[in-house]
Amino acid sequence: MAQSESFFQQSRTAIKNLSVGMRQTFRHMTKGHSTKNPTSIESDDYFTDRDKAVTIQYPAEQIPVPDVGRYRLHMEADDCIVCDKCARICPVDCITIESFKATEDLGYTSDGSKKRLELPVFDIDMAKCCYCGLCTTVCPTECLTMTKVFDYSEYDREQFVYHFGILSPEEEAQKRAQLEAEKQAKAAAKSTTPKASVPKKKLPLLKKKPSQDS
């Protein structure tokens, strides 16, 4: 008898909970005919229009992205001084940098920093990126930033590698050849220049102190 009472009590509780849920569902069906405007969580109107439908028609409609979000990386090559700090601090090694000494004046960055190195390779593998933001923090010229681009799916994994190098293979080969020729010219000039002979200074003779026994 006790088991049957427990069964009917549980059934009544289940029917009551089901009716409450269905009542809420039908009430939303009668009011939720219009779609809620996509608003950021930072907006003051984010919790208004609760009775409207919240499903948006993506990608035609998109929720605004916060300014402090961490999404796809972008590098402004004209402001890079190739300090290599971003590659060294990256915990997953998703940044690859190759550089060599410039043989000509490269000018300055937007913040006035002198550019001394050529940048043939600056690759970022976003498939490895963990979006920690450390690389943007240590960048002295702020040329590496997080953008608001969050939807960049690809069919090929290689498409996740973004190339920001500013030299083509032909330009790189030419500039490396110029650098090598400059090094050889300096080495040849250094070998042909006679070394100036520096006269040796004679050290003064130390006088021997007389012994106390004498």
Side-chain angles (χ1 to χ4, degrees):
M1 186 68 180
Q3 292 180 354
S4 61
E5 290 180 356
S6 176
F7 171 75
F8 288 114
Q9 185 177 1
Q10 292 177 1
S11 299
R12 285 195 298 268
T13 303
I15 294 173
K16 181 180 179 181
N17 294 337
L18 181 61
S19 62
V20 172
M22 293 302 296
R23 192 183 309 118
Q24 181 69 20
T25 301
F26 282 115
R27 187 174 65 180
H28 183 71
M29 288 177 60
T30 57
K31 295 182 179 180
H33 297 293
S34 59
T35 304
K36 181 179 179 181
N37 295 326
T39 55
S40 172
I41 195 173
E42 300 173 346
S43 175
D44 296 334
D45 300 331
Y46 183 78
F47 293 101
T48 61
D49 300 333
R50 296 183 180 181
D51 295 328
K52 292 184 178 180
V54 296
T55 303
I56 62 174
Q57 302 299 321
Y58 185 85
E61 298 177 347
Q62 296 186 17
I63 297 176
V65 179
D67 294 332
V68 294
R70 297 175 182 173
Y71 304 103
R72 189 170 69 181
L73 285 166
H74 175 74
M75 201 277 289
E76 193 65 38
D78 292 336
D79 286 339
C80 181
I81 59 174
V82 202
C83 63
D84 205 31
K85 290 183 178 180
C86 55
R88 284 180 290 174
I89 202 172
C90 180
V92 294
D93 296 330
C94 71
I95 301 177
T96 303
I97 299 176
E98 293 182 9
S99 63
F100 57 92
K101 185 179 179 181
T103 57
E104 56 187 10
D105 186 13
L106 299 179
Y108 297 85
T109 62
S110 59
D111 67 344
S113 300
K114 178 68 175 177
K115 298 171 65 175
R116 295 182 173 87
L117 298 175
E118 298 283 0
L119 184 61
V121 177
F122 194 111
D123 296 345
I124 301 178
D125 190 350
M126 292 304 299
K128 296 181 181 179
C129 182
C130 62
Y131 305 94
C132 62
L134 293 175
C135 56
T136 62
T137 304
V138 299
C139 182
T141 59
E142 298 182 357
C143 67
L144 198 58
T145 55
M146 287 278 189
T147 64
K148 291 187 177 182
V149 180
F150 62 91
D151 186 1
Y152 47 94
S153 57
E154 299 287 351
Y155 290 103
D156 187 1
R157 186 182 295 271
E158 296 297 329
Q159 299 299 322
F160 285 111
V161 181
Y162 294 91
H163 308 281
F164 295 100
I166 57 177
L167 293 180
S168 64
E170 295 77 12
E171 293 174 338
E172 179 185 358
Q174 180 182 359
K175 290 182 180 294
R176 285 186 182 275
Q178 293 177 357
L179 178 62
E180 187 64 25
E182 184 177 315
K183 288 181 179 180
Q184 293 178 0
K186 288 183 178 179
K190 186 176 181 180
S191 61
T192 55
T193 303
K195 295 183 179 180
S197 58
V198 180
K200 295 182 179 180
K201 294 182 179 179
K202 294 183 179 180
L203 297 177
L205 296 176
L206 297 177
K207 295 182 179 180
K208 187 177 181 181
K209 294 181 179 180
S211 61
Q212 296 180 357
D213 297 336
S214 58

